[in-house]
PDB file of all heavy atoms in Angstrom:
ATOM      1  N   MET H   3      12.955  -8.941   2.197  1.00  0.00           N
ATOM      2  CA  MET H   3      11.730  -8.765   3.013  1.00  0.00           C
ATOM      3  C   MET H   3      11.394  -7.291   3.059  1.00  0.00           C
ATOM      4  O   MET H   3      12.209  -6.484   3.482  1.00  0.00           O
ATOM      5  CB  MET H   3      12.007  -9.358   4.401  1.00  0.00           C
ATOM      6  CG  MET H   3      10.739  -9.447   5.224  1.00  0.00           C
ATOM      7  SD  MET H   3       9.586 -10.597   4.483  1.00  0.00           S
ATOM      8  CE  MET H   3       8.156 -10.244   5.475  1.00  0.00           C
ATOM      9  N   LYS H   4      10.269  -6.900   2.540  1.00  0.00           N
ATOM     10  CA  LYS H   4       9.914  -5.508   2.510  1.00  0.00           C
ATOM     11  C   LYS H   4       9.308  -5.062   3.846  1.00  0.00           C
ATOM     12  O   LYS H   4       9.578  -4.009   4.284  1.00  0.00           O
ATOM     13  CB  LYS H   4       8.916  -5.272   1.351  1.00  0.00           C
ATOM     14  CG  LYS H   4       9.405  -5.909   0.091  1.00  0.00           C
ATOM     15  CD  LYS H   4       9.345  -5.021  -1.076  1.00  0.00           C
ATOM     16  CE  LYS H   4       9.535  -5.687  -2.385  1.00  0.00           C
ATOM     17  NZ  LYS H   4      10.858  -5.545  -3.003  1.00  0.00           N
ATOM     18  N   CYS H   5       8.501  -5.890   4.399  1.00  0.00           N
ATOM     19  CA  CYS H   5       8.019  -5.578   5.743  1.00  0.00           C
ATOM     20  C   CYS H   5       7.267  -6.862   6.201  1.00  0.00           C
ATOM     21  O   CYS H   5       6.944  -7.763   5.410  1.00  0.00           O
ATOM     22  CB  CYS H   5       7.069  -4.381   5.765  1.00  0.00           C
ATOM     23  SG  CYS H   5       5.369  -4.680   5.396  1.00  0.00           S
ATOM     24  N   GLU H   6       7.052  -6.966   7.482  1.00  0.00           N
ATOM     25  CA  GLU H   6       6.475  -8.239   8.031  1.00  0.00           C
ATOM     26  C   GLU H   6       5.041  -8.493   7.535  1.00  0.00           C
ATOM     27  O   GLU H   6       4.544  -9.555   7.743  1.00  0.00           O
ATOM     28  CB  GLU H   6       6.590  -8.316   9.537  1.00  0.00           C
ATOM     29  CG  GLU H   6       6.271  -7.075  10.254  1.00  0.00           C
ATOM     30  CD  GLU H   6       7.526  -6.211  10.553  1.00  0.00           C
ATOM     31  OE1 GLU H   6       7.793  -5.358   9.677  1.00  0.00           O
ATOM     32  OE2 GLU H   6       8.146  -6.346  11.621  1.00  0.00           O
ATOM     33  N   TYR H   7       4.421  -7.497   6.984  1.00  0.00           N
ATOM     34  CA  TYR H   7       3.093  -7.686   6.508  1.00  0.00           C
ATOM     35  C   TYR H   7       3.053  -8.056   5.001  1.00  0.00           C
ATOM     36  O   TYR H   7       1.973  -8.288   4.478  1.00  0.00           O
ATOM     37  CB  TYR H   7       2.219  -6.462   6.769  1.00  0.00           C
ATOM     38  CG  TYR H   7       2.061  -6.287   8.262  1.00  0.00           C
ATOM     39  CD1 TYR H   7       2.981  -5.514   9.000  1.00  0.00           C
ATOM     40  CD2 TYR H   7       1.016  -6.887   8.949  1.00  0.00           C
ATOM     41  CE1 TYR H   7       2.866  -5.374  10.367  1.00  0.00           C
ATOM     42  CE2 TYR H   7       0.876  -6.776  10.324  1.00  0.00           C
ATOM     43  CZ  TYR H   7       1.798  -6.003  11.021  1.00  0.00           C
ATOM     44  OH  TYR H   7       1.726  -5.860  12.360  1.00  0.00           O
ATOM     45  N   CYS H   8       4.213  -7.959   4.350  1.00  0.00           N
ATOM     46  CA  CYS H   8       4.288  -8.386   2.952  1.00  0.00           C
ATOM     47  C   CYS H   8       4.537  -9.895   2.990  1.00  0.00           C
ATOM     48  O   CYS H   8       5.664 -10.320   3.225  1.00  0.00           O
ATOM     49  CB  CYS H   8       5.351  -7.633   2.266  1.00  0.00           C
ATOM     50  SG  CYS H   8       4.887  -5.971   1.759  1.00  0.00           S
ATOM     51  N   TRP H   9       3.526 -10.605   2.616  1.00  0.00           N
ATOM     52  CA  TRP H   9       3.585 -12.089   2.683  1.00  0.00           C
ATOM     53  C   TRP H   9       4.690 -12.561   1.766  1.00  0.00           C
ATOM     54  O   TRP H   9       4.744 -12.163   0.584  1.00  0.00           O
ATOM     55  CB  TRP H   9       2.224 -12.625   2.256  1.00  0.00           C
ATOM     56  CG  TRP H   9       1.898 -13.952   2.822  1.00  0.00           C
ATOM     57  CD1 TRP H   9       2.108 -14.357   4.090  1.00  0.00           C
ATOM     58  CD2 TRP H   9       1.307 -15.013   2.112  1.00  0.00           C
ATOM     59  NE1 TRP H   9       1.634 -15.602   4.246  1.00  0.00           N
ATOM     60  CE2 TRP H   9       1.139 -16.062   3.071  1.00  0.00           C
ATOM     61  CE3 TRP H   9       0.843 -15.190   0.809  1.00  0.00           C
ATOM     62  CZ2 TRP H   9       0.559 -17.291   2.722  1.00  0.00           C
ATOM     63  CZ3 TRP H   9       0.276 -16.409   0.495  1.00  0.00           C
ATOM     64  CH2 TRP H   9       0.099 -17.422   1.436  1.00  0.00           C
ATOM     65  N   VAL H  12       6.977 -10.332  -0.794  1.00  0.00           N
ATOM     66  CA  VAL H  12       6.695  -9.758  -2.127  1.00  0.00           C
ATOM     67  C   VAL H  12       5.377  -8.942  -2.058  1.00  0.00           C
ATOM     68  O   VAL H  12       4.567  -9.145  -1.197  1.00  0.00           O
ATOM     69  CB  VAL H  12       6.570 -10.803  -3.251  1.00  0.00           C
ATOM     70  CG1 VAL H  12       7.927 -11.499  -3.420  1.00  0.00           C
ATOM     71  CG2 VAL H  12       5.495 -11.762  -2.931  1.00  0.00           C
ATOM     72  N   TYR H  13       5.292  -8.008  -2.969  1.00  0.00           N
ATOM     73  CA  TYR H  13       4.083  -7.149  -2.999  1.00  0.00           C
ATOM     74  C   TYR H  13       2.929  -7.856  -3.659  1.00  0.00           C
ATOM     75  O   TYR H  13       1.802  -7.578  -3.288  1.00  0.00           O
ATOM     76  CB  TYR H  13       4.359  -5.866  -3.737  1.00  0.00           C
ATOM     77  CG  TYR H  13       5.358  -4.888  -3.065  1.00  0.00           C
ATOM     78  CD1 TYR H  13       6.376  -4.274  -3.752  1.00  0.00           C
ATOM     79  CD2 TYR H  13       5.255  -4.648  -1.639  1.00  0.00           C
ATOM     80  CE1 TYR H  13       7.276  -3.426  -3.135  1.00  0.00           C
ATOM     81  CE2 TYR H  13       6.149  -3.816  -1.058  1.00  0.00           C
ATOM     82  CZ  TYR H  13       7.124  -3.236  -1.747  1.00  0.00           C
ATOM     83  OH  TYR H  13       7.991  -2.371  -1.138  1.00  0.00           O
ATOM     84  N   VAL H  38      -1.481  -3.694  -2.117  1.00  0.00           N
ATOM     85  CA  VAL H  38      -0.320  -2.958  -1.670  1.00  0.00           C
ATOM     86  C   VAL H  38      -0.079  -1.805  -2.598  1.00  0.00           C
ATOM     87  O   VAL H  38      -0.009  -2.071  -3.853  1.00  0.00           O
ATOM     88  CB  VAL H  38       0.914  -3.887  -1.551  1.00  0.00           C
ATOM     89  CG1 VAL H  38       2.085  -3.080  -0.971  1.00  0.00           C
ATOM     90  CG2 VAL H  38       0.618  -5.110  -0.710  1.00  0.00           C
ATOM     91  N   SER H  82      -2.338   0.773   6.269  1.00  0.00           N
ATOM     92  CA  SER H  82      -1.193   0.817   7.151  1.00  0.00           C
ATOM     93  C   SER H  82       0.130   0.924   6.399  1.00  0.00           C
ATOM     94  O   SER H  82       0.267   0.439   5.266  1.00  0.00           O
ATOM     95  CB  SER H  82      -1.226  -0.436   8.021  1.00  0.00           C
ATOM     96  OG  SER H  82      -1.641  -1.571   7.327  1.00  0.00           O
ATOM     97  N   CYS H  83       1.036   1.570   7.029  1.00  0.00           N
ATOM     98  CA  CYS H  83       2.322   1.864   6.448  1.00  0.00           C
ATOM     99  C   CYS H  83       3.420   1.528   7.462  1.00  0.00           C
ATOM    100  O   CYS H  83       3.616   2.236   8.442  1.00  0.00           O
ATOM    101  CB  CYS H  83       2.393   3.345   6.095  1.00  0.00           C
ATOM    102  SG  CYS H  83       3.898   3.911   5.305  1.00  0.00           S
ATOM    103  N   PHE H  84       4.070   0.393   7.257  1.00  0.00           N
ATOM    104  CA  PHE H  84       5.062  -0.103   8.268  1.00  0.00           C
ATOM    105  C   PHE H  84       6.499  -0.050   7.637  1.00  0.00           C
ATOM    106  O   PHE H  84       6.684  -0.313   6.482  1.00  0.00           O
ATOM    107  CB  PHE H  84       4.771  -1.575   8.649  1.00  0.00           C
ATOM    108  CG  PHE H  84       3.455  -1.732   9.233  1.00  0.00           C
ATOM    109  CD1 PHE H  84       2.426  -2.243   8.448  1.00  0.00           C
ATOM    110  CD2 PHE H  84       3.173  -1.448  10.564  1.00  0.00           C
ATOM    111  CE1 PHE H  84       1.147  -2.444   8.997  1.00  0.00           C
ATOM    112  CE2 PHE H  84       1.929  -1.645  11.073  1.00  0.00           C
ATOM    113  CZ  PHE H  84       0.919  -2.148  10.317  1.00  0.00           C
ATOM    114  N   GLU H  97      10.933   1.162   1.589  1.00  0.00           N
ATOM    115  CA  GLU H  97      10.163   1.573   0.416  1.00  0.00           C
ATOM    116  C   GLU H  97       8.808   1.919   0.966  1.00  0.00           C
ATOM    117  O   GLU H  97       8.132   1.093   1.619  1.00  0.00           O
ATOM    118  CB  GLU H  97      10.047   0.412  -0.543  1.00  0.00           C
ATOM    119  CG  GLU H  97      11.330   0.075  -1.222  1.00  0.00           C
ATOM    120  CD  GLU H  97      11.209  -1.067  -2.246  1.00  0.00           C
ATOM    121  OE1 GLU H  97      10.483  -2.005  -1.966  1.00  0.00           O
ATOM    122  OE2 GLU H  97      11.858  -0.983  -3.273  1.00  0.00           O
ATOM    123  N   HIS H  99       5.192   2.059   1.260  1.00  0.00           N
ATOM    124  CA  HIS H  99       4.089   1.348   0.661  1.00  0.00           C
ATOM    125  C   HIS H  99       3.000   1.197   1.655  1.00  0.00           C
ATOM    126  O   HIS H  99       3.242   1.071   2.863  1.00  0.00           O
ATOM    127  CB  HIS H  99       4.521  -0.026   0.070  1.00  0.00           C
ATOM    128  CG  HIS H  99       4.952  -1.004   1.158  1.00  0.00           C
ATOM    129  ND1 HIS H  99       6.205  -0.909   1.694  1.00  0.00           N
ATOM    130  CD2 HIS H  99       4.401  -2.082   1.656  1.00  0.00           C
ATOM    131  CE1 HIS H  99       6.353  -1.913   2.582  1.00  0.00           C
ATOM    132  NE2 HIS H  99       5.264  -2.611   2.586  1.00  0.00           N
ATOM    133  N   TRP H 100       1.779   1.147   1.204  1.00  0.00           N
ATOM    134  CA  TRP H 100       0.562   1.070   2.045  1.00  0.00           C
ATOM    135  C   TRP H 100      -0.079  -0.313   1.855  1.00  0.00           C
ATOM    136  O   TRP H 100      -0.194  -0.765   0.764  1.00  0.00           O
ATOM    137  CB  TRP H 100      -0.448   2.116   1.642  1.00  0.00           C
ATOM    138  CG  TRP H 100       0.016   3.542   1.865  1.00  0.00           C
ATOM    139  CD1 TRP H 100       0.742   4.300   1.011  1.00  0.00           C
ATOM    140  CD2 TRP H 100      -0.210   4.304   2.997  1.00  0.00           C
ATOM    141  NE1 TRP H 100       0.942   5.519   1.571  1.00  0.00           N
ATOM    142  CE2 TRP H 100       0.364   5.583   2.804  1.00  0.00           C
ATOM    143  CE3 TRP H 100      -0.904   4.051   4.260  1.00  0.00           C
ATOM    144  CZ2 TRP H 100       0.315   6.620   3.720  1.00  0.00           C
ATOM    145  CZ3 TRP H 100      -0.944   5.096   5.180  1.00  0.00           C
ATOM    146  CH2 TRP H 100      -0.323   6.340   4.917  1.00  0.00           C
ATOM    147  N   HIS H 101      -0.526  -0.888   2.949  1.00  0.00           N
ATOM    148  CA  HIS H 101      -1.290  -2.057   2.938  1.00  0.00           C
ATOM    149  C   HIS H 101      -2.780  -1.677   3.013  1.00  0.00           C
ATOM    150  O   HIS H 101      -3.142  -0.954   3.985  1.00  0.00           O
ATOM    151  CB  HIS H 101      -0.945  -2.980   4.037  1.00  0.00           C
ATOM    152  CG  HIS H 101       0.414  -3.633   3.883  1.00  0.00           C
ATOM    153  ND1 HIS H 101       0.615  -4.784   3.275  1.00  0.00           N
ATOM    154  CD2 HIS H 101       1.623  -3.110   4.207  1.00  0.00           C
ATOM    155  CE1 HIS H 101       1.924  -5.062   3.191  1.00  0.00           C
ATOM    156  NE2 HIS H 101       2.544  -4.086   3.776  1.00  0.00           N
TER     157      HIS H 101
HETATM  158 ZN1   ZN G   1       4.589  -4.436   3.455  1.00  0.00          ZN
END
Side-chain angles (χ1 to χ4, degrees):
M3 192 62 192
K4 314 227 190 257
C5 86
E6 42 269 87
Y7 294 89
C8 281
W9 208 42
V12 296
Y13 293 136
V38 183
S82 37
C83 182
F84 302 98
E97 290 182 321
H99 65 283
W100 295 87
H101 290 266

